[in-house]
Amino acid sequence: MRNNSHASNGFDLLNSTIASNGLGQDILTKKDAFEAFAKTFFTLTDTYSPPQNIWFIVQYEGKAPEFYKGTYDGDPLSLKVILTQKEEKGKKETRKEVGGYHLAYEYIRELSEKPGTKGVTWIPSQVPFTPTSDRFKQTDVLQIEFDKGTQTEQESLLKAFIKDYPWKGLAVHHSGNKSYHTTIKLSHSINKHDWAYLMSLLMAIYDGYVDPKPCNNVVQQMRVPSFYRKDKEKEQALLYLSPETSLNPLGKEIKRKFPTFEELKNNLESIVTGLGKTLPKHTITNKCKVWESSSISSTSTIDYIKKYGEENCLELIRYVVTNLPTRVAGTNTYDSYRVALGASGNILGDKNKALELFSPLLPHGTGDWEQVNDSTTGAFGIPALKQAFYNLTGSDLLLPSVFQGTTKNSIDTEELKVSLLQYFEEFYNSNLTGTALTLELGSLAKLVGHRVQWVESTYTQWIQEAEYKEQLPDLKRTLDHLLQVQTKDIDLGHYIPSGLAVKLKNISSILGTTELGLLTCLLPIASSLINANTHLTLIKASDFKRHPIIWSGIVGGSGCAKSPTLKTLKKPLEEFQATAQEMWERSTQLYSEALDQWKATPTEEREEKPITPFDPQRFYVNDTTGEALVRLQARQQDRGFLLEFDELSALLKGANQYKGGKGRDIENLLQARDGTFPHTERVDSSVFALRSTYSIVGGIQPDILKQQMGDGSDPNGYWARFLMCCRPTKKAIFPENDYDSGLYPLLKGIYLNLIALPAYRAELSPDAKELYREWFEYCQEEKVKGEGTYKSKIFSKHTAFVGDIALILSLIDTAYIKGITATRLSLDEFKKMIDEAIEKAFKPIELERYVISRKHLEKAIELIKIYQNQFDLIYQDILEVTGDLTPELKKIYDFSLKKGEIKARDVKMASRVFKSYSMADIRKMFDDLTEMGYGHTTGEGSKKSFLATKTSTEQMNQHAIDLTHQGWSVLHLPTGEWYKIQYEYQKGKEVFAIAIHEDGHQKNQPLSDFQFLKDTKPSFS
């Protein structure tokens, strides 16, 4: 093949891969590619009689494609192309002569380079008129599209196929986007069934890598090399064409030939069996693998012999043959005779018998009458026979009385149904749209004797049902994801110190909460205690800094332990706040006494006036206004505090409540999440805070959240600033051993150590920086990809939030390592600690260097992905913004898991979501859930019921939850073993654990010996 200066380097990977096996060729584009491709694939096989057809289709953005019908007589240079696009004016078909071989190529190539075009496709099958499946005659070409897997995987498969392909007529070309097309030329034309069998074999070989559409539709449009993809700015390049000759084992050059059907079939079958796969069936009614599994597969045709009797069917066909004229070549009646013959074979159930009866009408030596059957012509029974009879005679076919049904057009109801469904499927698989679809539906309406509006309405309804069936796999994937997110919990020991994790695990079963719920409450509490001057620099170039601030929310109904969880973790703060208040009251009393004494002292003898005591430090606040928030932050600028709400909805409802809704409380809140705080100026005062350091935690019920989030658009990103955790309602377990778990003194010790930590100037370690760069780029890509959806806002915020979490997890570890204070602080000890903090506030800030490890950043990324999954649950389950039936299907499934066997009426009464659905709609959802493997139905009609069954993932997760509820902390090893830690205790500085293996043997040794506590990482989807 000749060199082509226009070859694109974008295909060098495939070319070099093939070249490494001695099969390399130059990449061809433009006219070189067209000529090389045409000389192989635009030639006639011995079963074609000239002239033959080929269709080129120019694809456009936002408008219908243009069809160009080419004819040729065996020599590519004889190709003539005509534009056959139909126009509405006068309802006539306008034809535009494009020209012969060279002019046709230049004309279409020029169109492909114009803005608004999307490349050029072709249909190699022999279709005389508008290319639809029902008009298919025959083909000698197979085409598959590799569009799954990586480019390297696709090229590896193609290389292996090319290497062992012994014939000519194999081409590989590029779509101009990201997929490869493979085209195979046969020595003879084949019918639809043989074509479908070969496609089934190819699908079995390359399962998971090829697009099923071309295997599904015998007139599927495919990319043709040599033209340009303007929308992608890439060539549809010809990458490989099998050579005309090859060397035999003796080194002699031999001429290659096109494979016959049997040769290619045997070759492909040997590959399939070599892969250990089962061969598909190959019968006269065979359809390829994709068709067999399709949810819109054809309805079987009517058994006319059984319905009307063999003699009556024979009499009908004899009548038709007697009243039809003998076919004369060149009278443009070829297709009508083919339809009549195919329909007759369908009615008789014997195509050979039909051919025998029609033989006197058909000229011998021309056509391919022996291959005609109902499938090759798309002709199904009496409706098609009546249409063909009318086309050939101009008269209606008068049916004998035995064939006359009860419909107004003498078409049996069952027959009408079968015929319509078959034609609908053909239209759907042919991707008919616009004028072409309108014309076909009009013809179908005439054929079945119904109004066009009725046929169009029925077809629209059928399309909706078919598309919904096609969506079921996607619905199942979404539903699987949501159910996994809903049931899967985290291992706290992977994220926080094991000594703390074990105690929290034990308390989670008693409270009836989850480990993720505990961590979601712990993070904002810990962040509120860290020195306000601490910060983490993520990107030095842009001074991109993060502060220890976390906003989090627990989403769950009443009774899901939101308040008890928060109260347990907040309890030390209550002691701190009470002690601070007591200390302030004592300081105030001492100040009052000192002030009285100072006033009683003569002026000349007075020393400095006593200093007014500072207001008590606030560790948490659960009721405040926007301006009070500013003043509180300004008062303790080096210390944060916790904004805690039983119901998070109060935060939004309370904003601007004293300003008639005209204040800036919401805007100030949004700024505060990133550490920015407003400088408030009033006529009588001025309040300034260096920064915001308060964190937020609270619970909210799903219905309330839905009211506040509305359509979920979240225009200002308020909700995207929260880490949300959805909590199912779970039963709390009464502990078998009612002992003091030691959680409170441990928590208090860690909290005090967090308060005592200095202000840090944190930075990422070198390997953590590299990981953050990858995370940053990933989030930016996902943000752009999800533009217009909630995911865009989530990824925008989470780009930075991962730094917040990494900083806090690292500082919790640091505070834990510093030791545990288990006793109650005395007032004097607490005063000393607070005085030291106040003293530091008036000194120049000296920040200590602190390094965040890659390990802590990895944990933060894992957690942020988990919280992203929680947002999926919120948006797709609670807010129901998916646009499909995922929320409804999930609600039915969850309802049945709780209640057992349910009926449509139970579902309708249980949730307002189903108010607009009929009982039949709900029962249809029962069937869909059953089909997806989420349960099974019993009964029919109004008695149909549904019983959900847990998926394997849910059962595994439930096993861990059940063990935890028995008072154990559950740890799963990569080996598949289970260790259950029942109790942890401290002996000196060493932490010990009593752990029992699943086989019953007990361990009582230092916790550090349980290496899996540190090393095992849970997997997250």
Side-chain angles (χ1 to χ4, degrees):
M1 299 177 75
R2 293 175 292 161
N3 288 326
N4 190 315
S5 60
H6 301 290
S8 168
N9 290 331
F11 309 115
D12 284 350
L13 180 59
L14 176 67
N15 199 45
S16 63
T17 304
I18 297 172
S20 67
N21 285 279
L23 299 171
Q25 299 172 343
D26 294 325
I27 297 172
L28 298 183
T29 60
K30 298 187 177 180
K31 200 166 187 177
D32 288 346
F34 188 73
E35 289 180 355
F37 194 75
K39 286 177 181 178
T40 297
F41 294 96
F42 298 176
T43 56
L44 296 180
T45 53
D46 55 8
T47 52
Y48 281 144
S49 57
Q52 293 301 321
N53 306 310
I54 187 169
W55 290 85
F56 298 102
I57 303 97
V58 180
Q59 306 291 341
Y60 290 93
E61 293 183 3
K63 76 171 190 176
E66 290 180 343
F67 285 76
Y68 292 84
K69 179 181 178 182
T71 59
Y72 58 96
D73 60 10
D75 180 357
L77 292 176
S78 69
L79 178 69
K80 294 182 180 179
V81 177
I82 297 175
L83 169 64
T84 60
Q85 190 75 359
K86 289 182 171 59
E87 296 182 358
E88 289 297 325
K89 294 180 180 179
K91 296 185 178 180
K92 294 181 179 179
E93 180 181 76
T94 59
R95 297 174 180 269
K96 177 180 179 181
E97 182 76 36
V98 174
Y101 176 79
H102 295 287
L103 287 176
Y105 169 73
E106 297 294 346
Y107 180 86
I108 299 176
R109 169 73 195 196
E110 185 178 345
L111 285 179
S112 72
E113 295 175 347
K114 290 183 177 180
T117 58
K118 298 172 62 177
V120 179
T121 55
W122 76 309
I123 299 176
S125 303
Q126 287 300 299
V127 186
F129 304 111
T130 304
T132 58
S133 295
D134 59 318
R135 290 168 172 164
F136 167 80
K137 293 173 64 178
Q138 56 196 357
T139 187
D140 59 1
V141 173
L142 303 174
Q143 288 191 305
I144 57 175
E145 177 182 0
F146 287 81
D147 71 341
K148 311 292 183 184
T150 65
Q151 184 173 334
T152 302
E153 290 172 334
Q154 294 176 19
E155 292 173 0
S156 177
L157 293 169
L158 287 167
K159 182 185 70 173
F161 188 72
I162 288 170
K163 183 179 178 182
D164 298 327
Y165 195 79
W167 304 288
K168 70 175 182 178
L170 171 67
V172 177
H173 55 282
H174 203 271
S175 69
N177 189 13
K178 61 180 180 179
S179 60
Y180 295 116
H181 290 202
T182 299
T183 308
I184 298 172
K185 176 87 167 180
L186 295 171
S187 65
H188 294 70
S189 63
I190 55 176
N191 61 34
K192 182 186 287 188
H193 301 304
D194 288 342
W195 172 88
Y197 182 64
L198 292 179
M199 295 303 290
S200 296
L201 294 171
L202 288 168
M203 282 291 292
I205 295 169
Y206 299 112
D207 185 32
Y209 287 95
V210 298
D211 184 355
K213 277 189 177 180
C215 305
N216 206 325
N217 182 7
V218 75
V219 293
Q220 175 69 31
Q221 300 174 22
M222 299 288 283
R223 298 285 167 181
V224 59
S226 77
F227 297 106
Y228 195 64
R229 280 290 297 271
K230 183 63 181 175
D231 58 322
K232 303 296 181 182
E233 297 291 355
K234 289 183 180 179
E235 292 283 349
Q236 296 176 189
L238 180 61
L239 307 176
Y240 174 81
L241 188 64
S242 57
E244 295 283 332
T245 62
S246 60
L247 298 178
N248 67 11
L250 299 176
K252 182 180 179 181
E253 188 175 71
I254 57 174
K255 190 174 182 180
R256 289 188 172 197
K257 63 182 184 65
F258 295 121
T260 65
F261 168 77
E262 288 296 329
E263 287 173 335
L264 184 59
K265 178 176 76 74
N266 293 338
N267 178 271
L268 297 179
E269 285 178 342
S270 66
I271 297 175
V272 172
T273 55
L275 293 172
K277 298 183 178 182
T278 304
L279 291 174
K281 294 180 181 179
H282 181 209
T283 65
I284 193 62
T285 58
N286 177 71
K287 291 189 175 183
C288 72
K289 179 180 177 181
V290 175
W291 278 340
E292 290 178 338
S293 62
S294 172
S295 58
I296 54 169
S297 58
S298 296
T299 308
S300 59
T301 55
I302 298 170
D303 187 340
Y304 286 95
I305 297 295
K306 182 177 180 181
K307 186 174 181 65
Y308 299 112
E310 182 178 6
E311 189 56 42
N312 287 324
C313 291
L314 280 169
E315 185 61 32
L316 172 62
I317 305 307
R318 292 192 189 104
Y319 173 81
V320 169
V321 170
T322 302
N323 288 277
L324 285 179
T326 301
R327 182 182 182 260
V328 177
T331 57
N332 200 28
T333 56
Y334 177 77
D335 286 291
S336 293
Y337 275 96
R338 282 172 55 84
V339 169
L341 177 57
S344 298
N346 172 239
I347 293 169
L348 296 175
D350 185 345
K351 71 169 186 175
N352 294 325
K353 184 65 176 177
L355 182 60
E356 179 186 335
L357 293 173
F358 268 77
S359 182
L361 303 179
L362 307 177
H364 296 284
T366 62
D368 55 344
W369 308 108
E370 291 80 5
Q371 295 188 33
V372 172
N373 56 59
D374 60 329
S375 183
T376 60
T377 62
F380 300 105
I382 290 177
L385 184 62
K386 289 178 65 178
Q387 184 65 46
F389 188 88
Y390 179 84
N391 291 342
L392 292 170
T393 65
S395 303
D396 291 330
L397 175 61
L398 300 176
L399 295 174
S401 58
V402 69
F403 291 95
Q404 294 179 9
T406 58
T407 62
K408 63 179 182 179
N409 289 296
S410 302
I411 300 178
D412 185 270
T413 303
E414 180 187 356
E415 184 180 338
L416 174 65
K417 175 183 175 183
V418 170
S419 181
L420 282 173
L421 291 177
Q422 288 167 334
Y423 275 106
F424 286 170
E425 184 180 350
E426 293 291 344
F427 297 162
Y428 184 80
N429 288 337
S430 301
N431 295 319
L432 285 179
T433 58
T435 304
L437 177 61
T438 301
L439 292 172
E440 294 292 352
L441 290 175
S443 299
L444 181 58
K446 182 177 180 181
L447 177 67
V448 300
H450 273 273
R451 291 183 304 154
V452 173
Q453 292 86 344
W454 180 86
V455 174
E456 289 177 343
S457 174
T458 305
Y459 181 65
T460 299
Q461 185 177 358
W462 185 90
I463 284 285
Q464 291 172 350
E465 295 173 356
E467 289 179 343
Y468 174 72
K469 283 289 186 183
E470 286 186 339
Q471 289 175 5
L472 282 181
D474 292 331
L475 285 175
K476 179 171 173 28
R477 280 190 291 272
T478 302
L479 202 49
D480 283 343
H481 171 62
L482 295 182
L483 291 173
Q484 184 177 20
V485 172
Q486 179 175 276
T487 59
K488 191 169 186 177
D489 203 0
I490 64 168
D491 174 14
L492 267 175
H494 179 60
Y495 300 101
I496 60 176
S498 57
L500 175 60
V502 169
K503 295 187 184 304
L504 289 176
K505 287 170 181 280
N506 290 337
I507 204 70
S508 69
S509 63
I510 299 172
L511 295 177
T513 186
T514 62
E515 295 181 42
L516 180 61
L518 285 165
L519 185 60
T520 304
C521 293
L522 178 64
L523 288 174
I525 293 174
S527 65
S528 72
L529 300 170
I530 297 169
N531 190 296
N533 299 299
T534 294
H535 64 265
L536 166 63
T537 301
L538 290 174
I539 304 176
K540 287 184 179 179
S542 59
D543 198 29
F544 185 23
K545 296 178 180 177
R546 301 303 301 171
H547 301 274
I549 300 172
I550 295 288
W551 292 7
S552 66
I554 304 295
V555 183
S558 178
C560 75
K562 298 189 296 292
S563 297
T565 301
L566 184 54
K567 184 177 180 181
T568 298
L569 296 173
K570 197 191 73 172
K571 187 176 179 182
L573 299 191
E574 295 174 351
E575 181 184 333
F576 296 167
Q577 191 133 305
T579 304
Q581 181 68 24
E582 185 181 346
M583 184 185 74
W584 178 80
E585 290 173 358
R586 193 171 82 169
S587 298
T588 302
Q589 178 63 34
L590 293 174
Y591 166 75
S592 179
E593 293 173 359
L595 183 61
D596 290 343
Q597 186 177 352
W598 180 81
K599 288 179 180 179
T601 303
T603 304
E604 63 276 6
E605 297 179 12
R606 288 178 182 173
E607 298 179 357
E608 289 186 10
K609 185 178 180 179
I611 299 174
T612 304
F614 286 100
D615 289 337
Q617 179 174 345
R618 293 299 179 211
F619 289 88
Y620 68 92
V621 175
N622 49 30
D623 186 16
T624 185
T625 63
E627 289 205 11
L629 207 55
V630 176
R631 294 183 183 280
L632 176 56
Q633 186 69 84
R635 200 169 67 218
Q636 51 186 63
Q637 296 204 19
D638 68 328
R639 289 292 155 191
F641 55 92
L642 183 71
L643 265 180
E644 176 251 330
F645 296 91
D646 245 6
E647 280 292 340
L648 265 180
S649 56
L651 183 59
L652 271 183
K653 291 178 181 178
N656 303 325
Q657 63 177 319
Y658 298 113
K659 304 171 186 177
K662 299 179 181 180
R664 288 183 49 81
D665 288 355
I666 297 297
E667 290 78 0
N668 293 343
L669 268 175
L670 299 179
Q671 294 176 16
R673 175 60 183 85
D674 295 321
T676 306
F677 219 76
H679 180 187
T680 305
E681 290 285 354
R682 295 290 182 267
V683 174
D684 58 344
S685 66
S686 175
V687 180
F688 176 72
L690 290 173
R691 65 187 62 83
S692 162
T693 57
Y694 63 82
S695 292
I696 298 175
V697 66
I700 190 166
Q701 297 193 35
D703 288 344
I704 304 291
L705 180 64
K706 186 173 183 179
Q707 290 174 12
Q708 293 210 339
M709 292 187 72
D711 62 0
S713 58
D714 195 17
N716 57 15
Y718 172 80
W719 290 105
R721 286 168 162 81
F722 282 83
L723 303 178
M724 305 296 279
C725 169
C726 299
R727 284 248 297 276
T729 301
K730 294 166 53 178
K731 62 180 181 178
I733 305 298
F734 193 87
E736 294 182 8
N737 301 312
D738 193 11
Y739 57 87
D740 184 356
S741 67
L743 174 63
Y744 178 73
L746 178 60
L747 273 180
K748 187 173 71 171
I750 293 173
Y751 291 176
L752 288 172
N753 286 342
L754 285 171
I755 294 172
L757 290 177
Y760 286 122
R761 171 176 47 84
E763 60 187 55
L764 297 173
S765 67
D767 55 348
K769 282 182 183 178
E770 179 58 29
L771 177 61
Y772 182 71
R773 182 187 64 79
E774 296 173 8
W775 172 254
F776 182 91
E777 292 174 351
Y778 166 73
C779 286
Q780 296 309 303
E781 290 176 2
E782 293 298 318
K783 179 180 73 172
V784 173
K785 191 187 300 183
E787 185 177 7
T789 70
Y790 69 92
K791 288 184 179 291
S792 181
K793 292 185 177 67
I794 298 301
F795 278 102
S796 176
K797 301 299 179 187
H798 288 184
T799 305
F801 287 3
V802 74
D804 306 344
I805 296 175
L807 176 62
I808 294 162
L809 291 179
S810 183
L811 290 176
I812 289 175
D813 278 356
T814 299
Y816 185 82
I817 292 170
K818 284 183 175 293
I820 300 169
T821 305
T823 58
R824 190 181 191 280
L825 281 180
S826 69
L827 200 61
D828 289 337
E829 289 172 327
F830 194 84
K831 182 178 185 303
K832 180 182 178 182
M833 186 182 73
I834 297 299
D835 285 345
E836 288 175 355
I838 293 171
E839 184 179 352
K840 289 178 183 178
F842 287 94
K843 290 182 178 181
I845 300 173
E846 296 181 5
L847 301 178
E848 295 187 19
R849 183 172 179 267
Y850 187 87
V851 178
I852 304 293
S853 69
R854 181 184 177 98
K855 178 187 72 173
H856 284 107
L857 187 61
E858 286 175 347
K859 292 177 179 179
I861 290 173
E862 289 174 12
L863 272 176
I864 210 73
K865 287 183 177 180
I866 293 171
Y867 285 118
Q868 287 171 351
N869 289 337
Q870 295 292 310
F871 267 105
D872 289 342
L873 204 57
I874 288 171
Y875 275 86
Q876 299 182 39
D877 185 22
I878 298 175
L879 300 188
E880 303 165 10
V881 297
T882 58
D884 56 34
L885 289 179
T886 300
E888 288 85 345
L889 292 171
K890 183 176 179 299
K891 283 178 171 57
I892 292 174
Y893 177 78
D894 288 341
F895 184 52
S896 178
L897 281 182
K898 293 177 182 177
K899 300 294 183 180
E901 194 167 10
I902 55 174
K903 293 187 176 181
R905 184 174 299 279
D906 302 325
V907 174
K908 200 170 179 68
M909 294 176 65
S911 174
R912 296 190 301 271
V913 171
F914 297 95
K915 183 177 180 181
S916 61
Y917 290 99
S918 68
M919 298 292 189
D921 291 333
I922 297 173
R923 294 184 193 107
K924 179 66 170 58
M925 293 181 205
F926 289 174
D927 293 334
D928 294 336
L929 285 167
T930 300
E931 185 174 336
M932 289 188 281
Y934 291 115
H936 61 270
T937 59
T938 55
E940 294 294 335
S942 61
K943 296 182 179 180
K944 179 175 287 187
S945 60
F946 173 74
L947 179 63
T949 54
K950 287 187 176 180
T951 64
S952 58
T953 300
E954 286 180 291
Q955 290 171 352
M956 182 184 71
N957 293 339
Q958 189 62 49
H959 177 51
I961 292 169
D962 290 344
L963 289 171
T964 303
H965 280 170
Q966 295 170 19
W968 302 87
S969 295
V970 182
L971 300 165
H972 188 219
L973 292 178
T975 57
E977 299 174 291
W978 288 91
Y979 269 95
K980 301 175 288 185
I981 295 184
Q982 185 183 31
Y983 186 67
E984 181 195 14
Y985 61 95
Q986 191 167 352
K987 187 175 181 181
K989 292 185 177 181
E990 190 75 82
V991 179
F992 284 75
I994 297 174
I996 299 178
H997 189 264
E998 58 185 346
D999 65 9
H1001 75 263
Q1002 179 174 305
K1003 286 190 177 185
N1004 182 3
Q1005 59 195 77
L1007 196 62
S1008 59
D1009 289 352
F1010 293 91
Q1011 293 299 318
F1012 51 84
L1013 273 174
K1014 300 177 181 178
D1015 300 334
T1016 303
K1017 293 182 180 180
S1019 60
F1020 303 109
S1021 60

